[in-house]
Amino acid sequence: MTTIDGIDLEFATLDEIHEAALARLDPGVRDFLEGGAGEEVTLRRNRAAFDKWAFVPRIMSGAGAPDISGSFLGIDLDIPVMTAPFGTDGLFDPDGHVAVARANEGAGTVSIVPEAGTFAVERIAGAAPGAAAIGQFHPLGTDQTFLTMMRRYEAAGYRALCLTCDCPTGGWRERNLRNRFSPDESIIAGNYPGGPEEYGPIFGQLFAQTAPIWTWDRLSSLLGQGTLPWIAKGIMTVVDARAALAAGASGLLVSNHGGRQLDGQRASLEVLPEIRDAVGPNVQIALDSGIRRGSDVVKAIALGADAVVIGRLAVYGLTAGGERGVARVMELLGAEIRNILALLGRGSLAEIGRDAVMRVTD
Ligand SMILES: Cc1cc2nc3c(=O)[nH]c(=O)nc-3n(C[C@H](O)[C@H](O)[C@H](O)COP(=O)(O)O)c2cc1C
């Protein structure tokens, strides 16, 4: 490894990791990763939203070396960035989420481990018990399949659950349709080795249409039989934020699924401040969709997030360099966040509030 002053020159910037990842992927997989639903309006909005907020520095503030540690749902984080539950991980690296979790353990953060992944959730927990902290699944299928997955996460030592609530069916992904692309079933069969025969809903959700028969009441009564706190993923309105909390959620993941589900909705960063204002300061909120740099993380925290979640950015690291690639993403994000905090004149994430940003029109 070539280093100068301890800095790994292999990937000097996050953009370099992105470029290296794209160069390694076949066109169909690249489009599957980069694309969104419909005309990709929401995909573009997710990125554009960050430019609408400008930083407001405080010079000569006397702030010392920035502390970027935080926590989410009582889980300590050395960096306020968790990795998203992205399925199909075996398309990007043979070790998939095992590598992601190992990198997160080294970085002092955690994975939201997906149900629709290439590896069983127990295997990921065995490889990196500290990082395999939040288990994701979809409210789909029968009560029995739901409870089985919940019990598996509990038994494997996960500390919280993440329910993806914005997938009553798959998004209308035109790049995949044009490419005639659909991943091999084995790539999402880590938890269901029998494939569709063993457990239809997740496969049905990805490859066909399913009936949207799930409600907050049903979700709440099933989760009430478990022992772990849970968060709702896919929150994009104040109405749904309140409904999730009324159903017993301990936290919210404000997310439009990286623009991969309902196209035409707003950017997740746009809705974040109104959701924070509606639920008050004590509800745990994470945000995903569009995070690509350290400055994005700081803006999300200024607008009300306790932590952020990275989807494609984690996949870029995984594709470019496996475990080391994800570790490098976390190192670079951490360095950028420290740099921004120092230039903003703030010594810690707790000092990053709304007064650190302002809305601009240029
Ligand atoms: C390849 C890929 C697979 C994904 N699979 C899932 C999944 O199985 N369940 C889920 O809740 N979200 C899934 N997501 C969405 C992410 O969890 C996350 O919401 C999104 O990637 C955030 O946006 P970003 O990519 O701009 O960071 C997936 C995303 C990608 C890129």
Side-chain angles (χ1 to χ4, degrees):
M1 183 173 31
T2 320
T3 63
I4 290 183
D5 296 337
I7 296 172
D8 181 359
L9 292 184
E10 203 180 302
F11 294 116
T13 68
L14 291 165
D15 277 348
E16 258 180 55
I17 297 180
H18 186 190
E19 286 157 22
L22 295 190
R24 295 188 73 154
L25 295 175
D26 292 337
V29 179
R30 201 159 59 211
D31 270 348
F32 168 66
L33 172 63
E34 294 286 84
E39 292 182 280
E40 305 188 336
V41 173
T42 300
L43 180 72
R44 288 190 291 279
R45 278 188 185 144
N46 281 340
R47 284 301 301 143
F50 289 94
D51 287 347
K52 294 182 184 162
W53 293 94
F55 283 125
V56 180
R58 196 186 286 153
I59 57 174
M60 300 300 292
S61 71
D67 173 7
I68 65 162
S69 64
S71 75
F72 186 67
L73 288 179
I75 300 168
D76 290 333
L77 303 173
D78 290 347
I79 175 172
V81 180
M82 304 177 282
T83 56
F86 59 89
T88 68
D89 40 316
L91 288 174
F92 308 106
D93 180 84
D95 292 327
H97 272 285
V98 172
V100 174
R102 285 194 174 126
N104 283 339
E105 194 145 271
T109 185
V110 300
S111 301
I112 307 180
V113 170
E115 162 185 51
T118 309
F119 296 92
V121 300
E122 294 82 359
R123 167 124 182 245
I124 298 165
I134 306 179
Q136 175 272 346
F137 58 128
H138 302 82
L140 294 168
T142 65
D143 290 0
Q144 202 44 54
T145 54
F146 183 96
L147 290 171
T148 300
M149 200 64 221
M150 182 173 84
R151 299 286 180 225
R152 282 179 64 183
Y153 278 125
E154 288 173 353
Y158 286 77
R159 285 176 274 169
L161 301 172
C162 170
L163 278 303
T164 297
C165 298
D166 60 359
C167 295
T169 188
W172 189 258
R173 312 223 182 129
E174 298 213 347
R175 293 202 213 194
N176 297 349
L177 294 170
R178 209 170 41 227
N179 293 334
R180 276 75 177 160
F181 177 82
S182 67
D184 189 272
E185 280 168 10
S186 64
I187 223 78
I188 59 166
N191 290 298
Y192 309 105
E197 298 305 312
E198 180 183 335
Y199 182 56
I202 183 65
F203 291 91
Q205 187 267 339
L206 283 172
F207 296 117
Q209 308 283 310
T210 54
I213 47 167
W214 280 74
T215 62
W216 291 114
D217 280 350
R218 183 170 173 196
L219 188 60
S220 171
S221 81
L222 293 174
L223 288 163
Q225 298 174 41
T227 57
L228 296 176
W230 60 277
I231 62 170
K233 177 173 188 276
I235 298 297
M236 284 295 289
T237 67
V238 166
V239 168
D240 280 341
R242 291 203 169 109
L245 296 175
S250 299
L252 307 171
L253 177 39
V254 174
S255 165
N256 57 36
H257 218 106
R260 298 167 78 82
Q261 285 295 105
L262 176 64
D263 190 37
Q265 56 182 326
R266 291 194 290 163
S268 60
L269 190 77
E270 283 290 307
V271 306
L272 175 65
E274 56 201 64
I275 291 177
R276 171 55 80 197
D277 288 346
V279 302
N282 298 326
V283 172
Q284 293 283 282
I285 299 183
L287 171 125
D288 79 22
S289 301
I291 300 280
R292 299 289 182 273
R293 341 179 36 89
S295 55
D296 302 338
V297 180
V298 179
K299 286 179 185 177
I301 287 173
L303 292 171
D306 295 294
V308 305
V309 173
I310 53 170
R312 293 182 185 82
L313 190 51
V315 180
Y316 301 155
L318 183 66
T319 307
E323 178 183 338
R324 175 68 201 133
V326 179
R328 189 69 184 139
V329 165
M330 289 296 178
E331 282 170 12
L332 287 169
L333 276 176
E336 284 186 27
I337 297 168
R338 279 190 199 90
N339 178 262
I340 301 278
L341 255 58
L343 292 171
L344 279 174
R346 269 76 165 189
S348 71
L349 297 178
E351 292 173 45
I352 297 292
R354 291 263 173 104
D355 61 351
V357 290
M358 74 180 285
R359 186 91 180 174
V360 287
T361 50
D362 63 326

Tab-separated table of all heavy atoms in Angstrom, residues 32-33 43 46 84-88 92 114-116 136 138 164 166-167 202 233 255-260 288-292 309-313 315, ligand 1:
chain	number	residue	atom	x	y	z
A	32	PHE	N	-28.371	-1.466	-12.898
A	32	PHE	CA	-29.171	-1.910	-11.749
A	32	PHE	C	-28.764	-1.133	-10.499
A	32	PHE	O	-29.601	-0.692	-9.702
A	32	PHE	CB	-28.975	-3.415	-11.543
A	32	PHE	CG	-29.496	-3.947	-10.247
A	32	PHE	CD1	-30.863	-3.943	-9.970
A	32	PHE	CD2	-28.638	-4.465	-9.277
A	32	PHE	CE1	-31.358	-4.436	-8.766
A	32	PHE	CE2	-29.114	-4.951	-8.079
A	32	PHE	CZ	-30.477	-4.938	-7.818
A	33	LEU	N	-27.467	-0.915	-10.337
A	33	LEU	CA	-26.960	-0.202	-9.165
A	33	LEU	C	-27.242	1.297	-9.244
A	33	LEU	O	-27.761	1.895	-8.300
A	33	LEU	CB	-25.442	-0.441	-9.050
A	33	LEU	CG	-24.696	0.381	-8.004
A	33	LEU	CD1	-25.202	0.055	-6.598
A	33	LEU	CD2	-23.190	0.109	-8.105
A	43	LEU	N	-34.398	10.206	-8.064
A	43	LEU	CA	-32.951	9.922	-7.984
A	43	LEU	C	-32.156	11.230	-8.123
A	43	LEU	O	-31.239	11.498	-7.342
A	43	LEU	CB	-32.574	8.940	-9.095
A	43	LEU	CG	-31.121	8.497	-9.195
A	43	LEU	CD1	-30.768	7.558	-8.055
A	43	LEU	CD2	-30.852	7.792	-10.524
A	46	ASN	N	-32.644	13.625	-5.105
A	46	ASN	CA	-31.894	13.246	-3.903
A	46	ASN	C	-30.539	13.924	-3.857
A	46	ASN	O	-30.084	14.351	-2.802
A	46	ASN	CB	-31.715	11.727	-3.855
A	46	ASN	CG	-32.948	11.006	-3.363
A	46	ASN	OD1	-33.820	11.598	-2.712
A	46	ASN	ND2	-33.042	9.721	-3.672
A	84	ALA	N	-26.471	0.593	4.416
A	84	ALA	CA	-27.865	0.287	4.116
A	84	ALA	C	-28.063	-1.212	3.917
A	84	ALA	O	-27.133	-1.937	3.567
A	84	ALA	CB	-28.288	1.031	2.854
A	85	PRO	N	-29.312	-1.640	4.074
A	85	PRO	CA	-29.638	-3.026	3.729
A	85	PRO	C	-29.792	-3.147	2.219
A	85	PRO	O	-30.879	-2.957	1.691
A	85	PRO	CB	-30.976	-3.234	4.444
A	85	PRO	CG	-31.617	-1.882	4.465
A	85	PRO	CD	-30.489	-0.894	4.560
A	86	PHE	N	-28.685	-3.385	1.534
A	86	PHE	CA	-28.811	-3.610	0.084
A	86	PHE	C	-28.721	-5.111	-0.168
A	86	PHE	O	-27.791	-5.775	0.259
A	86	PHE	CB	-27.779	-2.805	-0.724
A	86	PHE	CG	-26.336	-3.064	-0.411
A	86	PHE	CD1	-25.631	-4.068	-1.067
A	86	PHE	CD2	-25.675	-2.304	0.534
A	86	PHE	CE1	-24.292	-4.297	-0.784
A	86	PHE	CE2	-24.341	-2.528	0.838
A	86	PHE	CZ	-23.650	-3.535	0.181
A	87	GLY	N	-29.752	-5.642	-0.837
A	87	GLY	CA	-29.739	-7.046	-1.223
A	87	GLY	C	-28.851	-7.230	-2.437
A	87	GLY	O	-28.168	-6.311	-2.879
A	88	THR	N	-28.809	-8.430	-2.971
A	88	THR	CA	-28.033	-8.756	-4.184
A	88	THR	C	-26.546	-8.470	-4.018
A	88	THR	O	-25.846	-8.209	-4.994
A	88	THR	CB	-28.560	-7.998	-5.436
A	88	THR	OG1	-28.307	-6.605	-5.292
A	88	THR	CG2	-30.019	-8.243	-5.692
A	92	PHE	N	-21.683	-7.814	-6.365
A	92	PHE	CA	-20.649	-6.787	-6.282
A	92	PHE	C	-19.335	-7.286	-5.712
A	92	PHE	O	-18.281	-6.716	-5.977
A	92	PHE	CB	-21.180	-5.598	-5.463
A	92	PHE	CG	-22.505	-5.099	-5.968
A	92	PHE	CD1	-23.687	-5.349	-5.282
A	92	PHE	CD2	-22.576	-4.428	-7.175
A	92	PHE	CE1	-24.915	-4.922	-5.772
A	92	PHE	CE2	-23.797	-3.988	-7.680
A	92	PHE	CZ	-24.966	-4.237	-6.989
A	114	PRO	N	-29.400	-6.987	5.242
A	114	PRO	CA	-30.635	-7.235	4.498
A	114	PRO	C	-31.097	-8.676	4.527
A	114	PRO	O	-30.301	-9.611	4.551
A	114	PRO	CB	-30.251	-6.857	3.067
A	114	PRO	CG	-28.818	-7.262	2.971
A	114	PRO	CD	-28.219	-7.007	4.349
A	115	GLU	N	-32.401	-8.804	4.453
A	115	GLU	CA	-33.032	-10.119	4.289
A	115	GLU	C	-32.750	-10.681	2.894
A	115	GLU	O	-32.500	-11.887	2.741
A	115	GLU	CB	-34.538	-9.924	4.473
A	115	GLU	CG	-35.403	-11.012	3.947
A	115	GLU	CD	-36.878	-10.646	4.073
A	115	GLU	OE1	-37.300	-9.560	3.649
A	115	GLU	OE2	-37.600	-11.478	4.609
A	116	ALA	N	-32.788	-9.807	1.874
A	116	ALA	CA	-32.676	-10.262	0.477
A	116	ALA	C	-31.222	-10.307	0.021
A	116	ALA	O	-30.887	-9.920	-1.098
A	116	ALA	CB	-33.486	-9.344	-0.439
A	136	GLN	N	-32.710	-6.211	8.807
A	136	GLN	CA	-33.798	-5.653	7.975
A	136	GLN	C	-34.646	-6.754	7.367
A	136	GLN	O	-34.122	-7.778	6.921
A	136	GLN	CB	-33.189	-4.788	6.856
A	136	GLN	CG	-34.183	-4.249	5.855
A	136	GLN	CD	-34.457	-5.189	4.686
A	136	GLN	OE1	-33.741	-6.147	4.463
A	136	GLN	NE2	-35.517	-4.919	3.961
A	138	HIS	N	-38.811	-7.263	5.200
A	138	HIS	CA	-39.937	-6.566	4.581
A	138	HIS	C	-41.249	-7.096	5.150
A	138	HIS	O	-41.411	-8.312	5.240
A	138	HIS	CB	-39.953	-6.804	3.061
A	138	HIS	CG	-38.694	-6.366	2.355
A	138	HIS	ND1	-37.554	-7.136	2.307
A	138	HIS	CD2	-38.424	-5.252	1.648
A	138	HIS	CE1	-36.628	-6.503	1.614
A	138	HIS	NE2	-37.128	-5.352	1.195
A	164	THR	N	-38.646	-2.469	6.218
A	164	THR	CA	-38.744	-1.684	4.984
A	164	THR	C	-40.212	-1.634	4.573
A	164	THR	O	-40.788	-2.646	4.178
A	164	THR	CB	-37.884	-2.318	3.883
A	164	THR	OG1	-36.517	-2.280	4.314
A	164	THR	CG2	-38.026	-1.567	2.576
A	166	ASP	N	-41.670	0.605	2.322
A	166	ASP	CA	-42.019	1.287	1.059
A	166	ASP	C	-41.957	0.347	-0.147
A	166	ASP	O	-41.776	0.788	-1.270
A	166	ASP	CB	-41.093	2.501	0.836
A	166	ASP	CG	-39.619	2.122	0.758
A	166	ASP	OD1	-39.293	0.916	0.897
A	166	ASP	OD2	-38.785	3.026	0.570
A	167	CYS	N	-42.129	-0.938	0.103
A	167	CYS	CA	-42.043	-1.928	-0.985
A	167	CYS	C	-43.261	-2.836	-1.054
A	167	CYS	O	-43.109	-4.070	-1.007
A	167	CYS	CB	-40.798	-2.798	-0.815
A	167	CYS	SG	-39.261	-1.942	-0.965
A	202	ILE	N	-40.461	-12.487	-0.824
A	202	ILE	CA	-39.359	-11.602	-1.184
A	202	ILE	C	-39.003	-11.772	-2.655
A	202	ILE	O	-38.713	-10.817	-3.361
A	202	ILE	CB	-38.139	-11.808	-0.254
A	202	ILE	CG1	-37.026	-10.823	-0.589
A	202	ILE	CG2	-37.607	-13.218	-0.284
A	202	ILE	CD1	-37.415	-9.407	-0.315
A	233	LYS	N	-38.470	1.938	7.823
A	233	LYS	CA	-37.684	2.477	6.691
A	233	LYS	C	-38.636	2.833	5.548
A	233	LYS	O	-39.519	2.048	5.209
A	233	LYS	CB	-36.685	1.423	6.212
A	233	LYS	CG	-35.862	1.823	4.988
A	233	LYS	CD	-34.789	0.773	4.699
A	233	LYS	CE	-33.813	1.217	3.618
A	233	LYS	NZ	-34.268	0.978	2.261
A	255	SER	N	-36.393	7.945	4.066
A	255	SER	CA	-35.777	7.321	2.889
A	255	SER	C	-36.796	7.225	1.769
A	255	SER	O	-37.959	6.906	2.011
A	255	SER	CB	-35.318	5.904	3.271
A	255	SER	OG	-35.028	5.122	2.125
A	256	ASN	N	-36.339	7.493	0.536
A	256	ASN	CA	-37.166	7.125	-0.614
A	256	ASN	C	-36.500	5.990	-1.385
A	256	ASN	O	-36.681	5.867	-2.593
A	256	ASN	CB	-37.473	8.333	-1.504
A	256	ASN	CG	-36.217	9.025	-1.994
A	256	ASN	OD1	-35.204	8.395	-2.280
A	256	ASN	ND2	-36.272	10.349	-2.107
A	257	HIS	N	-35.720	5.196	-0.662
A	257	HIS	CA	-35.121	3.980	-1.230
A	257	HIS	C	-34.108	4.346	-2.319
A	257	HIS	O	-33.938	3.610	-3.304
A	257	HIS	CB	-36.237	3.097	-1.805
A	257	HIS	CG	-36.044	1.621	-1.611
A	257	HIS	ND1	-36.760	0.884	-0.714
A	257	HIS	CD2	-35.212	0.732	-2.212
A	257	HIS	CE1	-36.404	-0.392	-0.778
A	257	HIS	NE2	-35.448	-0.506	-1.683
A	258	GLY	N	-33.466	5.491	-2.150
A	258	GLY	CA	-32.482	5.902	-3.162
A	258	GLY	C	-33.126	6.130	-4.526
A	258	GLY	O	-32.476	5.964	-5.557
A	259	GLY	N	-34.391	6.545	-4.537
A	259	GLY	CA	-35.071	6.810	-5.814
A	259	GLY	C	-35.412	5.542	-6.578
A	259	GLY	O	-35.729	5.608	-7.767
A	260	ARG	N	-35.380	4.400	-5.907
A	260	ARG	CA	-35.583	3.119	-6.609
A	260	ARG	C	-37.014	2.602	-6.525
A	260	ARG	O	-37.341	1.603	-7.135
A	260	ARG	CB	-34.633	2.059	-6.014
A	260	ARG	CG	-33.180	2.413	-6.184
A	260	ARG	CD	-32.269	1.541	-5.317
A	260	ARG	NE	-32.040	0.218	-5.847
A	260	ARG	CZ	-31.152	-0.094	-6.778
A	260	ARG	NH1	-30.408	0.876	-7.337
A	260	ARG	NH2	-30.975	-1.326	-7.178
A	288	ASP	N	-31.454	8.213	4.629
A	288	ASP	CA	-30.667	7.761	3.472
A	288	ASP	C	-31.248	8.350	2.206
A	288	ASP	O	-32.240	9.070	2.236
A	288	ASP	CB	-30.548	6.230	3.409
A	288	ASP	CG	-31.761	5.494	2.861
A	288	ASP	OD1	-32.583	6.091	2.128
A	288	ASP	OD2	-31.876	4.283	3.147
A	289	SER	N	-30.588	8.071	1.101
A	289	SER	CA	-30.949	8.485	-0.262
A	289	SER	C	-30.131	9.698	-0.697
A	289	SER	O	-30.463	10.848	-0.380
A	289	SER	CB	-32.448	8.764	-0.422
A	289	SER	OG	-33.193	7.584	-0.100
A	290	GLY	N	-29.044	9.423	-1.368
A	290	GLY	CA	-28.238	10.481	-1.967
A	290	GLY	C	-26.959	10.842	-1.236
A	290	GLY	O	-26.213	11.708	-1.698
A	291	ILE	N	-26.659	10.201	-0.112
A	291	ILE	CA	-25.426	10.543	0.617
A	291	ILE	C	-24.220	10.050	-0.198
A	291	ILE	O	-24.087	8.854	-0.469
A	291	ILE	CB	-25.401	9.884	2.016
A	291	ILE	CG1	-26.581	10.348	2.885
A	291	ILE	CG2	-24.040	10.104	2.687
A	291	ILE	CD1	-26.419	11.685	3.551
A	292	ARG	N	-23.363	10.980	-0.587
A	292	ARG	CA	-22.175	10.621	-1.366
A	292	ARG	C	-20.888	11.200	-0.798
A	292	ARG	O	-19.801	10.856	-1.249
A	292	ARG	CB	-22.308	11.108	-2.830
A	292	ARG	CG	-23.478	10.514	-3.600
A	292	ARG	CD	-23.269	9.022	-3.925
A	292	ARG	NE	-24.385	8.525	-4.701
A	292	ARG	CZ	-25.513	8.044	-4.177
A	292	ARG	NH1	-25.665	7.972	-2.851
A	292	ARG	NH2	-26.483	7.616	-4.950
A	309	VAL	N	-27.377	6.778	6.533
A	309	VAL	CA	-27.217	5.424	6.011
A	309	VAL	C	-26.763	5.549	4.557
A	309	VAL	O	-27.311	6.362	3.804
A	309	VAL	CB	-28.573	4.680	6.108
A	309	VAL	CG1	-28.507	3.328	5.418
A	309	VAL	CG2	-28.998	4.523	7.577
A	310	ILE	N	-25.754	4.764	4.186
A	310	ILE	CA	-25.273	4.825	2.794
A	310	ILE	C	-25.597	3.519	2.064
A	310	ILE	O	-25.296	2.437	2.553
A	310	ILE	CB	-23.757	5.133	2.711
A	310	ILE	CG1	-22.914	4.167	3.565
A	310	ILE	CG2	-23.497	6.577	3.109
A	310	ILE	CD1	-21.403	4.283	3.333
A	311	GLY	N	-26.194	3.669	0.893
A	311	GLY	CA	-26.500	2.517	0.057
A	311	GLY	C	-25.468	2.382	-1.043
A	311	GLY	O	-24.463	1.664	-0.899
A	312	ARG	N	-25.676	3.118	-2.133
A	312	ARG	CA	-24.759	2.968	-3.270
A	312	ARG	C	-23.310	3.256	-2.896
A	312	ARG	O	-22.400	2.593	-3.401
A	312	ARG	CB	-25.197	3.873	-4.424
A	312	ARG	CG	-26.545	3.452	-5.038
A	312	ARG	CD	-26.894	4.361	-6.197
A	312	ARG	NE	-28.209	4.098	-6.767
A	312	ARG	CZ	-29.356	4.563	-6.276
A	312	ARG	NH1	-29.353	5.287	-5.163
A	312	ARG	NH2	-30.492	4.298	-6.876
A	313	LEU	N	-23.083	4.229	-2.019
A	313	LEU	CA	-21.693	4.551	-1.654
A	313	LEU	C	-20.997	3.342	-1.015
A	313	LEU	O	-19.814	3.072	-1.294
A	313	LEU	CB	-21.688	5.754	-0.709
A	313	LEU	CG	-20.357	6.413	-0.377
A	313	LEU	CD1	-19.556	6.758	-1.621
A	313	LEU	CD2	-20.591	7.676	0.463
A	315	VAL	N	-21.847	0.247	-1.686
A	315	VAL	CA	-21.671	-0.706	-2.792
A	315	VAL	C	-20.438	-0.319	-3.620
A	315	VAL	O	-19.693	-1.199	-4.083
A	315	VAL	CB	-22.927	-0.763	-3.690
A	315	VAL	CG1	-22.728	-1.762	-4.823
A	315	VAL	CG2	-24.167	-1.131	-2.887
B	1	LIG	C1	-28.307	-2.677	-5.096
B	1	LIG	C2	-29.278	-2.205	-4.055
B	1	LIG	C3	-30.104	-3.132	-3.403
B	1	LIG	C4	-31.010	-2.711	-2.434
B	1	LIG	N1	-31.769	-3.637	-1.761
B	1	LIG	C5	-32.582	-3.235	-0.750
B	1	LIG	C6	-33.317	-4.179	0.023
B	1	LIG	O1	-33.269	-5.395	-0.218
B	1	LIG	N2	-34.103	-3.712	1.022
B	1	LIG	C7	-34.179	-2.372	1.329
B	1	LIG	O2	-34.868	-1.979	2.266
B	1	LIG	N3	-33.481	-1.459	0.608
B	1	LIG	C8	-32.694	-1.850	-0.407
B	1	LIG	N4	-31.976	-0.915	-1.103
B	1	LIG	C9	-32.124	0.523	-0.774
B	1	LIG	C10	-31.102	0.946	0.283
B	1	LIG	O3	-31.338	0.302	1.500
B	1	LIG	C11	-31.143	2.464	0.510
B	1	LIG	O4	-32.431	2.867	0.907
B	1	LIG	C12	-30.710	3.288	-0.691
B	1	LIG	O5	-29.683	2.661	-1.405
B	1	LIG	C13	-30.250	4.657	-0.213
B	1	LIG	O6	-29.926	5.504	-1.261
B	1	LIG	P1	-28.428	5.710	-1.781
B	1	LIG	O7	-28.119	4.506	-2.610
B	1	LIG	O8	-28.527	6.947	-2.612
B	1	LIG	O9	-27.526	5.838	-0.589
B	1	LIG	C14	-31.089	-1.323	-2.113
B	1	LIG	C15	-30.253	-0.410	-2.755
B	1	LIG	C16	-29.345	-0.827	-3.725
B	1	LIG	C17	-28.463	0.198	-4.370
